[in-house]
Amino acid sequence: MSKYTTGEVAKLCGVTVRTVQYYDTRGILVPTDLTEGGRRLYSEDDLKRMKIICFLRDLGLSIDSISRILVEEYPSGVISMLLEQQEQLLKEEISECQEKLDKLETLKRELKSVKTVSVESIGDIAYTMSSREKLKKLRMTLLFTGVPVGILQWLSIILWITNGFWWLFVIWAVIAIPYAIWASRYYFKSVAYICPQCHAVFRPTFKETFFAVHTPVARKLTCTGCGHRGYCVETAREGDARE
């Protein structure tokens, strides 16, 4: 039967000599024989065991987990459990990496719209990105609460035109006007704006915000910090506005 030295096992399995020695100290790959000089000698079975260890390590299993598998007389249950745990762990790592990749891509895309890249401009983008999910939820809340009001509006108009039921339109107006006031105040109370000049996050007055010229992501406002007037990026308010 063939015998392999530590170096030969390492070469055949594509690892370092120190790795083979480490597995010996951990008790998961004990050499079958020792030479008179104390050199480790591994058998064919040892080599197969080493290849199994390397395969499991490539899957990301820890030394402790591999040790549990190797000492089990009937390892099928342990293997299934450990593989499921490792699968879940890898999925979480992939999800975290994908989230980081999405943030990097968003940052690159946002930086293209910035005339002069600076630490402050990166800070503005980071602040906006961190509150983007909160801003999305805010808008979805208003959307879902506004859908019934919108449906009632069109239903009342159709019934007024087709059947003369004008009173339903009056009911809609009684509901819609208070809702519009509440929704506007709720929305503008929950958002803030980033000044492109001094990079402060500020909250303008309700009147100025309501009547300001705007795009889907910005409004033309006067910064309360430096007095600059221009398009300021809308973001979700997080506690007190950042100055």
Side-chain angles (χ1 to χ4, degrees), residues 25-233:
T25 61
R26 292 298 301 269
I28 61 174
L29 186 71
V30 180
T32 301
D33 293 315
L34 293 174
T35 65
E36 293 181 359
R39 295 182 61 190
R40 298 175 178 87
L41 291 177
Y42 295 89
S43 66
E44 289 283 354
D45 289 339
D46 294 334
L47 179 61
K48 291 178 182 178
R49 185 183 182 93
M50 181 60 183
K51 289 181 178 179
I52 293 172
I53 293 171
C54 291
F55 173 71
L56 294 175
R57 287 293 288 157
D58 287 341
L59 293 178
L61 291 178
S62 67
I63 298 297
D64 291 337
S65 296
I66 295 172
S67 179
R68 290 176 60 188
I69 293 173
L70 296 177
V71 298
E72 286 286 333
E73 186 176 358
Y74 303 102
S76 58
V78 176
I79 291 174
S80 297
M81 179 188 69
L82 291 174
L83 291 182
E84 287 178 4
Q85 290 178 348
Q86 185 63 17
E87 180 183 16
Q88 182 61 35
L89 179 63
L90 290 174
K91 286 181 178 179
E92 291 174 359
E93 290 179 356
I94 291 172
S95 179
E96 290 176 0
C97 289
Q98 185 61 53
E99 184 178 349
K100 291 178 182 178
L101 180 61
D102 291 341
K103 287 182 179 180
L104 283 173
E105 291 176 347
T106 301
L107 178 59
K108 287 173 61 179
R109 186 167 59 250
E110 295 287 347
L111 285 175
K112 289 180 180 179
S113 63
V114 178
K115 292 181 179 179
T116 304
V117 178
S118 64
V119 175
E120 289 79 8
S121 61
I122 294 175
D124 292 344
I125 295 171
Y127 187 88
T128 304
M129 288 172 60
S130 66
S131 63
R132 185 163 293 170
E133 189 63 28
K134 187 177 179 181
L135 189 60
K136 180 181 178 181
K137 289 180 180 178
L138 171 63
R139 290 170 176 168
M140 291 300 294
T141 298
L142 294 180
L143 176 62
F144 284 121
T145 56
V147 166
V149 179
I151 293 175
L152 180 60
Q153 176 189 10
W154 287 106
L155 181 62
S156 64
I157 292 174
I158 292 172
L159 290 178
W160 191 357
I161 295 173
T162 57
N163 298 304
F165 292 162
W166 57 268
W167 50 268
L168 189 60
F169 185 82
V170 174
I171 293 175
W172 167 80
V174 171
I175 296 173
I177 293 174
Y179 170 78
I181 295 173
W182 169 83
S184 298
R185 291 190 175 278
Y186 174 73
Y187 184 80
F188 292 126
K189 184 180 179 181
S190 303
V191 298
Y193 295 87
I194 303 175
C195 174
Q197 189 72 23
C198 68
H199 305 282
V201 178
F202 67 98
R203 292 185 62 213
T205 63
F206 173 80
K207 181 179 179 181
E208 182 186 10
T209 309
F210 187 83
F211 291 105
V213 178
H214 64 89
T215 70
V217 296
R219 287 180 183 270
K220 194 171 185 179
L221 302 165
T222 300
C223 175
T224 57
C226 67
H228 170 77
R229 180 165 179 77
Y231 281 98
C232 302
V233 178

